[in-house]
Amino acid sequence: MAGLDHEDAAASFDPLRPKLMRVAYRMLGSVADAEDMVQEAFIRWMKADREAVREPEAFLRRTVTRLCLDQLKSARRQRETYVGPWLPDPVVEEEAQEDVTLPLMLALERLSPLERAAFLLHDVFGLGFEEVAAAVERDPAACRQLATRARLHVREARTRFQVDKQRGVELAEAFYAASRSGDMKALGAMLAADVSVHADGGGKRPAILEPIFGFDAVMKVHENLAALFRKHGSQLVRAGFVNGLPGFVTLEADGEFQTTALDIEDGRITAIYVVRNPDKLRHLH
């Protein structure tokens, strides 16, 4: 009987799992934590009186949101002791997912957990404030205020200059080729004057511990890196979109994966985001 109950719960839950993962990942910025929250929601779904639930998707979205709100509180404490810049786990896709790009995810980090939930549920996933209120256990008027405050904080991070998808991938591939071969002239032609580099090693692999800003400083870093790449090698695994930005996955000399994502405005690279922390790259294996 228990086996049949599990099958029944899974049959109604599994089609919703990808949507629930989207909510959880965008709330937490961690693939592993998002998977844990969705699995916990499934356990609760198995124990629930499913016959009494009129809208399973809304019920499960509320459950995942509340679990994520609790998780965010402990995640914030962990971030305080994180070594170097923190970047969200890289999600690599063939097509760009433009609802929440990497710069927006970083902007969401500055919000309170409730602001983050209200903004994502309403502005990204298109839910009405009545449903947002049910998910975060606040009244609709309070949720409207939360979303408004969040919007003000993240306005600058919303996508403003759409880069053509094909052009974006071509630029990512050209950046890979120039940065690995040491063709500094070609590399410099791709960079904006105010370009920045952000690298997340999490204290697990070598990475710059502070973001680097400005054309000259970024060029110097890549000049030094190119010498290492030429000596030790770096293999392109695939190009595509990393958290909605053009980018690529590489296999580095230490046998570990690395992702690079490029924020592009007016045809020039304005920010380079590199994830090297192996804990954040396990799902790519």
Side-chain angles (χ1 to χ4, degrees), residues 90 176 180 200-201 203-206 229 232-238 248-260 274-285:
Y176 167 81
R180 269 52 181 181
D200 181 342
K204 307 288 180 73
R205 290 170 77 196
F229 290 137
H232 299 293
S234 172
Q235 179 184 338
L236 180 65
V237 176
R238 61 189 280 210
F248 49 85
V249 182
T250 50
L251 185 64
E252 298 302 323
D254 60 1
E256 295 280 1
F257 283 134
Q258 174 175 307
T259 61
T260 302
V274 179
V275 175
R276 289 176 52 78
N277 183 344
D279 295 345
K280 298 187 174 189
L281 300 163
R282 285 178 185 151
H283 61 283
L284 299 180
H285 287 264

Side-chain angles (χ1 to χ4, degrees), residues 38-249:
V38 171
Q39 190 57 28
E40 176 61 28
F42 176 63
I43 292 168
R44 296 189 182 194
W45 181 237
M46 283 199 296
K47 295 176 181 176
D49 179 4
R50 295 187 295 279
E51 294 294 321
V53 178
R54 286 185 301 169
E55 297 181 37
E57 184 174 342
F59 173 87
L60 289 166
R61 190 164 44 227
R62 284 197 298 273
T63 303
V64 166
T65 300
R66 289 170 188 168
L67 288 167
C68 287
L69 286 172
D70 290 339
Q71 177 65 19
L72 274 175
K73 292 167 188 170
S74 61
R76 299 229 156 177
R77 288 194 291 273
Q78 293 166 13
R79 302 268 165 83
E80 289 170 7
T81 58
Y82 196 81
V83 178
W86 179 92
L87 295 175
D89 290 9
V91 172
V92 183
E93 296 164 308
E94 297 297 326
E95 289 292 323
Q97 296 294 325
E98 291 159 358
D99 58 354
V100 182
T101 60
L102 198 154
L104 181 54
M105 289 196 74
L106 290 174
L108 293 177
E109 286 295 303
R110 300 196 292 268
L111 305 180
S112 73
L114 285 173
E115 287 171 342
R116 185 169 183 149
F119 175 81
L120 285 169
L121 293 176
H122 180 266
D123 286 40
V124 174
F125 295 109
L127 304 186
F129 282 115
E130 291 289 339
E131 188 170 346
V132 176
V136 303
E137 300 178 302
R138 297 290 189 278
D139 64 65
C143 291
R144 195 179 295 275
Q145 286 186 319
L146 287 167
T148 299
R149 283 206 303 270
R151 238 172 266 132
L152 291 172
H153 284 298
V154 305
R155 185 165 45 195
E156 286 302 306
R158 300 305 301 256
T159 303
R160 289 163 292 159
F161 305 103
Q162 286 287 357
V163 62
D164 175 77
K165 292 177 184 178
Q166 184 57 39
R167 174 64 184 142
V169 172
E170 288 171 359
L171 198 53
E173 290 173 335
F175 177 87
Y176 167 81
S179 62
R180 269 52 181 181
S181 68
D183 186 344
M184 303 313 290
K185 184 177 179 182
L187 187 71
M190 300 179 217
L191 304 182
D194 59 349
V195 65
S196 59
V197 177
H198 312 257
D200 181 342
K204 307 288 180 73
R205 290 170 77 196
I208 52 176
L209 293 177
E210 294 288 341
I212 293 173
F213 297 94
F215 181 90
D216 291 341
V218 170
M219 285 291 285
K220 185 64 178 174
V221 165
H222 280 91
E223 198 174 331
N224 294 333
L225 286 173
L228 292 174
F229 290 137
R230 287 198 298 273
K231 184 177 180 181
H232 299 293
S234 172
Q235 179 184 338
L236 180 65
V237 176
R238 61 189 280 210
F241 294 89
V242 181
N243 296 108
L245 300 181
F248 49 85
V249 182

